[in-house]
Structure formats: structure tokens, C-alpha cells
Amino acid sequence: MSNKQGFISGLEGVIAAQTRLSHVDGQRGELILAGYRVEDIAPHASFETMVFLLWHDRLPDAAELAQMHSQLVRWRVLPTAALDLLQAAAAARRPVMDALRMAAGVCDIDLPCGEEADRCGDYALLARLPTAVAAYWRLLQGMTPVAPDPALGHAANYLYMLTGAPPPPARVRGLETYLNTVIDHGLNASTFTARVIIATQSDMTSAVTGALGALKGPLHGGAPGPALEMVFAIGEAAHAEAYLRAKLAAGERLMGFGHRIYKVRDPRAEVLAAAAEALYTTDGDRALFELAKHVESTAVRLLEEYKPGRALQTNVEFYTALLLYGLGLPTALFTPTFALARTAGWIAHAREQLATGRLLRPAAEYIGASGRVWRERATPISSRS
Ligand code: ACO
């Protein structure tokens, strides 16, 4: 088959997969998760419900939900090899995303082999990565990891393993809304990575580990920490305009703004802003929320002034930062927590790719030299002694 399409920088607009998992409409600002609008489902469903929905393309009944819970509980405890590795990483003070990527690679070490291992691997990755993040965070602080609590749901247990205290229901709801909102998002860079890896008929651990590597970069999942730091650096509403102008004039990017697909406000920002507002109203620094809203509106106005026609709007990361901070998470855990949610989406995409897709193998346009002729040189290029 001849390829007449030509090179498309960043693969922008190229359709490389078919999916039933999520639909992103960047012009209308719409995100559909397995048929549901994100704003209708994310603030209400449990995370386990969302995982079931993505993995089975329908909502679970009570028994299926209980089974999902018990499968996750079964695999929450880390294998010793993962814990040893996290201890070594903590001694080397490695960033949390690096430790998570390393731990992901050994999460299947004690799994049974064969067909069962395949499915167990899905649950083990989803269940164990939160344990790895929480354990690693505590090790970095010189604290002992907290064992998972089988009575708690996925989101509550993560907060519990981080702090050692049962989390208040408002925080659990806030975290579930966050995890549900970012669980899947079309063919983003990390999801594409997972699909490329699994399309070779590799394994789920490799797909998720590769996706973690792709997510780590600041242009994909690494923006919420810097977005919040920007709000803190601004400090008060009166300083926002001068601060943001200085950044834009210096050619810097404002973290938490702009998106390859969305040319209007990211619908996830809407959901997370509402969740953050609910949280900050009952449990947090309301003034910080108001400051963030002011920074957001100033940034969007100035982006239009400095980058006219680029349609740079608030993306998911801006309110992610505010919500996760309100939940008591340190900035170093923002991207890892995003990864814990997206793991469910990566696994769903990988399964879909295995079931319906082909080996992903695009072409490159050659722009190198031509017609070079090899001749033996009088003086050899490599000297042998
Ligand atoms: N601040 C200032 N200028 C920006 C920003 C921004 N946040 N985003 C894009 N631009 C400008 C670029 O400088 C460029 O300007 P130019 O054409 O004058 O050179 C123009 O807008 C287009 O930028 P691209 O990099 O081509 O746009 P792309 O679609 O590739 O980038 C991206 C999307 C990477 C998200 C970009 O908007 C960005 O860097 N944003 C900041 C980082 C961020 O918030 N990342 C999280 C994204 S959400 C997620 O991954 C879950």
C-alpha cells in the first residue's frame, strides 16, 4: 500500500486507532467516557465502577462491583522485590515517577504464569501501583510504609496508605472525582505508547511501564506541580498580571494552559474546578481557590494577547493541582496520582488493541543525504593498535 499522506508533525490529527473507551471533541470541549459525559459520571461514580465500565463496556451490578473490589484487595500488597527496590530508590532520593516506573516493572514477579497471569496482571498493576507510590513517599520521609486496608475502596485506601489515618469522606469523594475524570483521554501520548508496546504482543507490565515513562514528561503529565507553584509564586491577585506578563514576554509557557486537542476550556477542568470548589468550601483555604480562579482568567486573557489565534485555554492540570493540594497531597505526588488513574485507561486500551488492532508501525520520511559512495581511506577511520 503506498503512503501518499506525507509527514505530519507530531502526528497531529492522524487517526491511529479505533476505540470505544473515550471520545475527545476539542472544538466543543466534550469528553465522553464509554458513552457517558465526564461531567455526568465522574463526580458520582466510584473509581471501581469506572474501571469496570472501561474494562467491560457496561456498568457493574453489586456483585460485580464487590468482585472488582476483592480482586484489587487481593493484589494490593507489594512483592518483596518491589519493596526492596523502593527502599534502594529512596536511599538514592529518586523522583517519585522514577520509583513508580521501577516498581511497575517488578509488579508481576510473583504472578502465576499463563492465561490467568494475564488477567491477574491487570488487577495487580492497578492495585499495586498506589501501594508503591504511598510506600515510596513514606520511605522518602523516613517513615514506615502503611499496609493496605482491605475494608477500604481504592481511593480511600490510597489516602490511608499515604497518611496512616482513615480519610474523611469529602476527601475520598474529591479523589474519586479526580481519578474518574482523568481515567482515560483518547489517544494521548502515554496511551499511544501503551498501545504501541502491546501491539507487538508484548505484555501488560511492559505496556504500563512504557506508558509511565511517556507520562513523566512535563509536556504530558508533569504540569500540575509547576501550575500550583506558579499560583503560590503569584501569592496575591494584584501580582498576577505582572507575573504572567513577565513569563510570556520571556517566551516561557504557562503550565496548566494549552492543549493539542482542546481549543476551548478542557471539560475536565470544569469538573475538577467544581470538585475543588466543593472541597475548599468545607475543608481548605478558600482564599487560595479564589486566587487560582483569578490567575486562570488573567492567564487566558494574556495568552490570547501574546499568542493570538492559538486558542490556549485552561487544561486539566491547572485544577488538578488545586484539587490534589486540597486533598493534602504534596506536589511531588501529583503526576504519580494521575498515573494511578490513567493505569486503568492504559490497560483498557491495551486490551482493546490486542483484541482489535494490528502491529503499529508507521513510516518515516527520509530527509538524509543521498548518493554518498563508500571508499576505503588511506588513513583508517578507526586505528587498531
Ligand atoms: N503557554 C504559552 N504559550 C503556549 C502554551 C502555554 N501553556 N502552550 C502553547 N503555547 C504556544 C507555543 O509557544 C506555540 O507558540 P508559537 O506558535 O508562537 O511558537 C503555540 O502556542 C503552539 O504550541 P505547540 O507546542 O505547537 O502546541 P502543542 O499542541 O504541541 O502543545 C501543549 C500542547 C504541549 C500541552 C502546550 O500547550 C504546553 O506546553 N502547555 C503547557 C504544559 C501543560 O500544561 N501540559 C499539560 C497538558 S494536559 C496533559 O497532558 C494531561
Side-chain angles (χ1 to χ4, degrees), residues 174-221:
L175 181 60
E176 291 211 285
T177 299
Y178 171 69
L179 298 175
N180 294 347
T181 301
V182 301
I183 193 168
D184 196 48
H185 199 245
L187 202 59
N188 58 83
S190 55
T191 300
F192 185 51
T193 305
R195 289 187 84 125
V196 168
I197 292 173
I198 207 82
T200 68
Q201 298 193 348
S202 178
D203 60 284
M204 196 61 79
T205 302
S206 302
V208 168
T209 308
L212 282 166
L215 180 67
K216 189 179 130 178
L219 294 190
H220 186 4

Side-chain angles (χ1 to χ4, degrees), residues 10 12 182 185 188-189 215 217-224 227 247-248 251-263 266 268 303 306-308 310-313 315-318 320 338 342:
E12 190 162 351
V182 301
H185 199 245
N188 58 83
L215 180 67
L219 294 190
H220 186 4
K247 273 203 172 285
L248 290 168
E252 286 181 43
R253 290 186 178 215
L254 305 183
M255 291 294 155
F257 297 89
H259 198 276
R260 175 65 64 83
I261 307 285
Y262 290 117
K263 299 307 167 200
D266 186 332
R268 299 170 300 172
L303 281 166
Y306 282 80
K307 300 280 174 185
R310 299 284 185 207
L312 299 168
Q313 298 286 333
N315 65 41
V316 66
E317 305 288 32
F318 189 78
T320 287
F338 183 106
R342 193 50 70 79

Side-chain angles (χ1 to χ4, degrees), residues 22 51 59 65 71 80 85 89 94 96 99 123 184 221 228 237 262 272 297 314 330 340 353 357:
S22 58
V51 174
L59 292 173
L65 202 54
Q71 280 287 6
T80 315
L85 197 143
R94 294 296 295 261
V96 186
Y123 287 107
D184 196 48
L228 187 68
Y262 290 117
L272 298 183
S297 57
T314 318
L340 302 181
Q353 180 68 36

